[in-house]
Amino acid sequence: GTPIQGGLDPKILLNDKVPPSITATTISADNSSITVTFSEAVFTAQGGTDILVPSDFVLAMAGGTATLSDLEPSSITPNDQQTIFNLGLSLAGIPDGSEVLTVTPLLNADGVTKIYDRGGNAAASEQKNNTITNNCCFCCSENILPGFLSVV
């Protein structure tokens, strides 16, 4: 090819149009927290500022014997890259292992989530990889023993 004359820089800047998504969800052995992994760094404000807070998420649980004490995580701890978040759970009752827990980005009043990537793209409220089955816990000689975990 022919070199560009006149000192022009041939770089083309592309705008990020791909919204962040949940790529994995796991639950702790004692059902006290879930870990949510996003496809890229996420923030609670457009432009890549402000770390996520518990109220950026909503929890739902179906089935089983345990219930959620609150539909909002009790705590949030991000990793340094803002891609992995440990969300605290408040459960009432002892899980029997058939509870299905779902975590989703909370929608604002205008119908957009409060979770954004650096490019300003909002995460969708409907996600894949955001559902997990609680660990089974049962009492045996006053010990609560974790059972098996399966991802739905």
Side-chain angles (χ1 to χ4, degrees):
T2 305
I4 297 176
Q5 300 297 319
L8 297 176
D9 189 352
K11 294 179 187 171
I12 298 173
L13 298 177
L14 301 175
N15 292 325
D16 174 13
K17 298 293 183 189
V18 178
S21 62
I22 295 174
T23 59
T25 306
T26 58
I27 193 164
S28 63
D30 64 358
N31 297 309
S32 66
S33 66
I34 58 173
T35 301
V36 178
T37 304
F38 281 87
S39 57
E40 58 185 307
V42 289
F43 306 89
T44 197
Q46 292 182 356
T49 61
D50 299 336
I51 62 170
L52 297 184
V53 295
S55 62
D56 291 330
F57 294 94
V58 65
L59 304 171
M61 189 181 301
T65 56
T67 59
L68 289 167
S69 299
D70 196 345
L71 299 181
E72 181 179 296
S74 59
S75 62
I76 187 169
T77 306
N79 71 347
D80 291 340
Q81 294 78 30
Q82 303 295 318
T83 56
I84 301 173
F85 298 85
N86 189 319
L87 305 177
L89 298 177
S90 295
L91 299 180
I94 298 174
D96 66 10
S98 65
E99 297 85 358
V100 177
L101 179 68
T102 304
V103 59
T104 54
L106 181 67
L107 289 175
N108 285 329
D110 60 1
V112 178
T113 69
K114 301 188 318 181
I115 298 177
Y116 301 92
D117 65 11
R118 289 191 201 286
N121 301 301
S125 62
E126 292 186 27
Q127 294 281 326
K128 295 180 181 178
N129 306 311
N130 65 326
T131 302
I132 194 88
T133 301
N134 280 10
N135 291 315
C136 177
C137 294
F138 57 92
C139 294
C140 180
S141 300
E142 299 179 353
N143 293 320
I144 295 177
L145 304 172
F148 297 100
L149 169 70
S150 62
V151 176
V152 176

